[in-house]
Amino acid sequence: MRIEPVDWVEIPAGVVRRGTPADDIPLVAERYADTGVPVEWYLKEAPSTEIRLPAFRLARTPVTVGQWSVFAAATGRPAPTAPYDHPVTGVSWEAASAYCRWLGERSGDAGVRLPTEDEWERAARGDDGREFPWGDEYRTGLANLVDLGIGTTTPVGSFPDGAGPFGVLDMAGNVDEWTSTLYAPYPGAPTGVPLVEDWAFDPHITRGGAFRHDRDLARCARRHSAYEEDLAAIGVGLRLAAPAAGTASASASPSASASASA
C-alpha cells in the first residue's frame, strides 16, 4: 500500500498569545454557561502569556483512516473500519507517537512528530489571539461539533470556511487531537488549578474538541485531555507536525513544550 505524502502547512515563526487572562475567566465561563462547563475548568487556561515559537510544519488535516490503515497493515494493528477519508479515532497517545516514528522512517522525514500544545495554539490563533480558528465569534456550520447533530466524524477538510489563519483545517471539532505536551498548570496559574489531573485516562493534552463536544472546546485556548478510556467513542485522533522544511532540526524531535499543558 502506498504512503500518501503529508499536505504540510508552513507555520511561520512568531508569537502566540497563549491562554486566557485570569481576570477574563469568569466572563468566559458566563459566555459558555449553557454548556455546563464550570469555571474551574477554564482556570487551566490562565494566565495569558506571549510565547515565541520558531517556524514549523503542521499537517493541513488530521490523519485519516486511509493513512492510518497503511500503518496498521505494516505493524499488525487492527484496521479501522470508518470511511478512508474520515479522521482515524480511538488512537492512544503511544500509538499516535509510533505512527509518527514509522511515517518518518518510511518517508525519510525523520522530524515527523506530534505538535506541542503551544504549536497547536499558534497554528489555530495566528497573530491576533482569536477565540476560534476562524475568528472571534462562534458560528454553527464551521466545524463538526455536537450542535450539528451529526454524531460521528466527517471527511477531513469538510469545513473550509472554518480554516485557521494559516489555512489549517479541522482545528475545531471532528476529532480531539493529541499533542506531545504533558498536562501541568501554566506558570503563574491561579490558585486551585490542579497540579495533576489524575482522573484523566492519559496525561497528555488534547486540543480542538471532537464531534461529540460543545463549542467551548472549539476555543483556541481550551485545554483538554482524554478523560475516558474509550478513545473511539470520545473521538480522539491525531495531527502531524514537523520542524520547518530545510531546518537543521528537521531530523530531531523537540521535547514537549516547556509549559506543559492539558
Side-chain angles (χ1 to χ4, degrees):
M1 300 174 70
R2 185 178 67 88
I3 297 175
E4 295 180 27
V6 179
D7 182 8
W8 293 113
V9 176
E10 298 284 344
I11 309 299
V15 173
V16 58
R17 195 180 312 154
R18 184 190 69 188
T20 302
D23 291 345
D24 290 352
I25 295 294
L27 298 175
V28 171
E30 181 179 350
R31 189 181 310 143
Y32 301 99
D34 61 295
T35 66
V37 174
V39 65
E40 292 78 15
W41 293 11
Y42 295 108
L43 286 174
K44 294 187 295 184
E45 302 173 11
S48 179
T49 307
E50 290 192 347
I51 305 293
R52 180 169 293 279
L53 293 173
F56 63 98
R57 289 174 287 162
L58 196 67
R60 192 175 304 277
T61 59
V63 172
T64 65
V65 167
Q67 292 167 329
W68 186 269
S69 293
V70 181
F71 168 65
T75 58
R77 287 173 166 81
T81 57
Y84 78 98
D85 57 350
H86 284 227
V88 67
T89 62
V91 175
S92 70
W93 188 89
E94 290 77 11
S97 299
Y99 175 79
C100 293
R101 292 191 297 270
W102 175 86
L103 183 63
E105 291 169 359
R106 294 299 181 92
S107 66
D109 194 347
V112 175
R113 54 179 172 79
L114 296 173
T116 68
E117 183 182 25
D118 289 349
E119 287 174 333
W120 194 99
E121 192 162 340
R122 163 71 175 152
R125 300 192 96 159
D127 298 318
D128 55 18
R130 59 187 59 192
E131 182 92 344
F132 300 99
W134 52 82
D136 286 328
E137 299 297 327
Y138 184 76
R139 289 164 50 199
T140 296
L142 296 186
N144 179 15
L145 292 153
V146 72
D147 56 349
L148 285 188
I150 294 174
T152 188
T153 57
T154 49
V156 299
S158 293
F159 301 89
D161 290 341
F166 302 113
V168 182
L169 301 171
D170 291 357
M171 298 207 80
N174 220 6
V175 287
D176 206 21
E177 301 173 15
W178 287 121
T179 73
S180 64
T181 303
L182 288 166
Y183 169 76
Y186 287 151
T191 301
V193 174
L195 296 178
V196 177
E197 291 191 328
D198 54 11
W199 54 89
F201 175 70
D202 187 283
H204 293 90
I205 293 292
T206 60
R207 288 298 198 113
F211 60 86
R212 61 169 282 177
H213 292 126
D214 217 324
R215 71 190 191 283
D216 64 290
L217 273 175
R219 296 176 53 249
C220 298
R222 186 79 153 84
R223 308 178 76 198
H224 200 234
S225 194
Y227 298 114
E228 300 175 34
E229 186 173 357
D230 191 339
L231 300 177
I234 62 177
V236 177
L238 73 151
R239 184 190 301 268
L240 304 176
T247 62
S249 60
S251 61
S253 296
S255 60
S257 165
S259 49
S261 49

